[in-house]
Amino acid sequence: SAFVFNLVFCATTATIVSGAMAERTKFLSYCVYSAVISAFIYPTEAHWIWGGGWLSQIGFHDFAGSCAIHMVGGISALIGAKILGPRIGKYSVRTGKPHAIPGHNIPIGALGVFILWFGWYGFNGAAATSLRDLGSIFLTTTISPAIATVVCMIFTWIKYGKPDVGMCLNASLAGLVAITAGCDVTDVLGSIIIGTVAGLLVCFGVWFLDYKLHIDDPVGAVAVHCCNGIWGTIAVGLFATTSAPESTLTGLFYGGGIDLLIKQLTGVLSVGIWTAITITITFFIIKKIFGLRVSEREEIIGLDLEEH
């Protein structure tokens, strides 16, 4: 079962990257970087965290992968999208302002999000050690994305005059990503706060990438997975509590001091550096050998016709 779940985790990490690099990446290049992530980048840092490596030995906690999976995928997506460049027509040549290129089918997007949400109960609950622990994990895995979605809805309603459905769907995923590291050691209050921050953070992340960094991420993968993977991992050091079943950890806001928080920050920093270095080398090698991006003609007519 551990082998099967690790295959799922590898696929998840690689798929996060494909979202940020969508609509302009060569399929062969996608296969190559997915293989490198799955065979080298992810297994190394996952061993540090889950395989008895140095991070697990110092007490770093990432129950189901906010750092090991989502942050790694998000950082890789950020670097890949930067190296790849934006889609044709995404940014105004004259002003540099981004043009919205909305998805063509919101109901199908919503269905995809809710399939993911349903699957997340297995994703987070698989390592539960007791029925009581499983119930607590299911509870926090429900509360955080639900709160994130509602907070995002209210925020976008106030900011734009109407709720942004696409952003709310991303907020659901952001809440799930953020609670993944600490779903077993947080309580209801902690998961509410984690979800609240996630719902706002995803909005800020999308805006910052588009308007400040000018990095084209078609699905908001960086905001969802990188920003909230980092937030969720750090949140363990703030909101972990022994009132959660099977939990022996106590975060800063529950009287545990900064010890756990420092461990969480150490994990975020070390895994982040490892990922950034290895994926950057990988992308530049792929770009040199195979090329990363399809031709302008292929991008305009659509990748389904020639690549897929």
Side-chain angles (χ1 to χ4, degrees):
S1 62
F3 176 72
V4 172
F5 270 97
N6 270 284
L7 286 179
V8 173
F9 293 163
C10 288
T12 302
T13 309
T15 303
I16 292 166
V17 186
S18 70
M21 298 172 66
E23 300 185 21
R24 64 224 195 263
T25 306
K26 288 184 176 181
F27 184 65
L28 175 60
S29 300
Y30 165 77
C31 293
V32 174
Y33 72 66
S34 296
V36 173
I37 291 171
S38 301
F40 179 61
I41 297 174
Y42 164 75
T44 302
E45 48 87 10
H47 171 73
W48 296 349
I49 297 169
W50 293 326
W54 71 276
L55 282 176
S56 66
Q57 291 173 18
I58 68 169
F60 175 79
H61 185 83
D62 181 9
F63 186 73
S66 288
C67 176
I69 299 165
H70 297 284
M71 189 191 79
V72 169
I75 290 173
S76 301
L78 174 64
I79 294 170
K82 176 62 178 177
I83 293 173
L84 193 61
R87 290 167 291 173
I88 296 170
K90 174 61 180 177
Y91 296 102
S92 170
V93 177
R94 186 172 60 86
T95 65
K97 287 187 176 181
H99 297 141
I101 307 177
H104 73 284
N105 196 319
I106 291 295
I108 290 294
L111 177 62
V113 166
F114 283 108
I115 290 172
L116 275 170
W117 191 331
F118 179 73
W120 227 283
Y121 292 108
F123 194 84
N124 282 1
T129 55
S130 68
L131 191 60
R132 189 163 171 259
D133 190 27
L134 182 65
S136 178
I137 291 168
F138 279 8
L139 181 64
T140 56
T141 303
T142 303
I143 290 173
S144 178
I147 293 293
T149 307
V150 173
V151 167
C152 179
M153 181 188 73
I154 295 170
F155 177 78
T156 55
W157 204 334
I158 294 170
K159 185 172 177 61
Y160 303 115
K162 58 183 178 180
D164 186 325
V165 179
M167 191 69 78
C168 288
L169 293 174
N170 264 347
S172 300
L173 299 179
L176 288 162
V177 169
I179 200 62
T180 292
C183 60
D184 65 321
V185 294
T186 51
D187 59 9
V188 169
L189 178 60
S191 59
I192 288 173
I193 299 172
I194 290 170
T196 300
V197 174
L200 297 173
L201 188 58
V202 70
C203 298
F204 172 78
V206 168
W207 171 84
F208 189 73
L209 238 69
D210 244 4
Y211 285 87
K212 297 301 180 181
L213 300 182
H214 286 181
I215 296 176
D216 183 15
D217 177 3
V219 300
V222 176
V224 170
H225 298 278
C226 179
C227 296
N228 285 283
I230 293 171
W231 159 238
T233 307
I234 294 172
V236 173
L238 302 174
F239 300 106
T241 172
T242 53
S243 66
E246 314 298 336
S247 174
T248 58
L249 302 177
T250 307
L252 177 63
F253 295 153
Y254 286 79
I258 64 170
D259 183 55
L260 180 58
L261 180 59
I262 291 172
K263 293 173 183 176
Q264 296 303 110
L265 291 169
T266 301
V268 166
L269 186 62
S270 58
V271 173
I273 292 171
W274 162 256
T275 304
I277 292 172
T278 52
I279 198 64
T280 300
I281 294 170
T282 300
F283 281 135
F284 276 117
I285 291 174
I286 293 172
K287 188 175 182 180
K288 186 73 173 177
I289 298 174
F290 305 108
L292 269 175
R293 188 160 182 156
V294 298
S295 68
E296 184 176 336
R297 172 185 165 277
E298 287 175 299
E299 184 176 342
I300 290 171
I301 66 173
L303 270 63
D304 283 349
L305 291 177
E306 305 232 356
E307 285 285 314
H308 303 148

